[in-house]
Amino acid sequence: MSNTFKRTRIALLSGLTLSATLLAPLATAEVSGAVSVTNDYRFRGVSQTAGDPALQANIDWSHDSGFFVGAWGSNVDFDEPGYNGPDVEVDLYAGYYGEINDDTSYDLTLYRYNYPGDSELDYLEVSAGIDFNGFRAAYWFTNDYGGSDLDLHYTEINYAWEFTENWSLDLHYGYNFGDAIDDGEGFDSYSDYSIGVSTEFSGIAVSVAYLDTDIDGDNEVNSGVYKNSGTLLASVSYAF
């Protein structure tokens, strides 16, 4: 879900909290976006498309002051016997980006995950991240994961190394824990990790990565809905 990456009640937040800044003249703002295709939409190691491809898109509006808002969407597949789940995920987000110095920046973001067709899955999440010389660390928290009224925490660390011009080695490790994934039988946390390479040319970005989790035993899913076993992920995106 991208992570990346990667969502809020945008009208409420912009109207009550950020309006003075967000309604500043557009000459000091920038609009950007991207469209991408991937062979599987993985969210923290778990497939959201039953292992099938996904078409995704986002649009962002950022202000010189550091405030930003945006929207991201993807197809999803949670269908199981007796349950016809939503087909689309639409995420809204708003936050603030700041720079400490030339090498260090940080961001604070509020997200809202929306699932048209099954609004009971909708929920809010907050995150805080910091970037330094190719490293990124972030913490995410929700007290209502998937509309369950249960908490979920996620921590991650990433590193991108440009080993040659326009080519990057990308490393990721994430750790999931909280009541939302505690099954009461010893499974109360798991890790996801990936290693890959990416490149960009003429506005087109291409990435290939191997992703896996440490989920095993009865909780490992090798195919279909919520697949969480190792896989090769490939994506192509165009930024505008």
Side-chain angles (χ1 to χ4, degrees):
M1 89 175 27
S2 153
N3 297 140
T4 171
F5 262 203
K6 166 176 339 55
R7 303 161 191 172
T8 182
R9 292 183 184 274
I10 194 66
L12 176 64
L13 186 59
S14 61
L16 299 183
T17 308
L18 307 180
S19 58
T21 301
L22 292 178
L23 296 179
L26 289 177
T28 63
E30 179 181 349
V31 176
S32 61
V35 177
S36 64
V37 177
T38 179
N39 65 313
D40 189 3
Y41 166 23
R42 290 289 180 112
F43 181 70
R44 299 170 188 174
V46 179
S47 178
Q48 308 295 286
T49 51
D52 292 331
L55 175 64
Q56 304 171 339
N58 72 279
I59 186 165
D60 302 282
W61 185 88
S62 58
H63 190 272
D64 284 351
S65 64
F67 288 104
F68 60 87
V69 296
W72 180 92
S74 176
N75 59 290
V76 296
D77 182 1
F78 303 142
D79 292 353
E80 295 182 285
Y83 174 65
N84 184 22
D87 298 318
V88 177
E89 175 185 339
V90 179
D91 306 335
L92 305 175
Y93 50 90
Y96 180 80
Y97 167 89
E99 294 183 349
I100 299 174
N101 54 47
D102 290 343
D103 299 319
T104 310
S105 62
Y106 64 92
D107 54 89
L108 304 170
T109 312
L110 176 64
Y111 303 83
R112 180 167 175 87
Y113 301 73
N114 302 281
Y115 299 91
D118 192 349
S119 61
E120 292 184 358
L121 296 176
D122 298 355
Y123 67 101
L124 291 167
E125 187 173 54
V126 295
S127 74
I130 188 166
D131 294 82
F132 174 74
N133 277 346
F135 285 94
R136 174 172 174 78
Y139 168 72
W140 308 67
F141 171 75
T142 178
N143 64 352
D144 186 30
Y145 179 69
S148 65
D149 206 24
L150 298 172
D151 66 274
L152 183 66
H153 307 257
Y154 185 68
T155 59
E156 63 174 320
I157 186 166
N158 308 278
Y159 179 66
W161 172 50
E162 188 176 8
F163 58 89
T164 189
E165 185 176 3
N166 286 339
W167 284 90
S168 173
L169 173 67
D170 308 313
L171 306 176
H172 163 81
Y173 173 80
Y175 182 66
N176 306 259
F177 62 100
D179 292 340
I181 55 174
D182 184 354
D183 67 358
E185 298 180 0
F187 180 70
D188 58 3
S189 64
Y190 74 93
S191 299
D192 65 273
Y193 48 88
S194 65
I195 179 172
V197 293
S198 58
T199 186
E200 186 273 335
F201 54 91
S202 301
I204 297 175
V206 179
S207 67
V208 178
Y210 177 77
L211 179 146
D212 204 351
T213 72
D214 63 357
I215 299 174
D216 56 17
D218 294 339
N219 295 303
E220 183 177 7
V221 179
N222 293 305
S223 63
V225 178
Y226 305 125
K227 178 180 177 181
N228 55 40
S229 57
T231 191
L232 190 66
L233 291 179
S235 66
V236 178
S237 62
Y238 174 73
F240 56 88

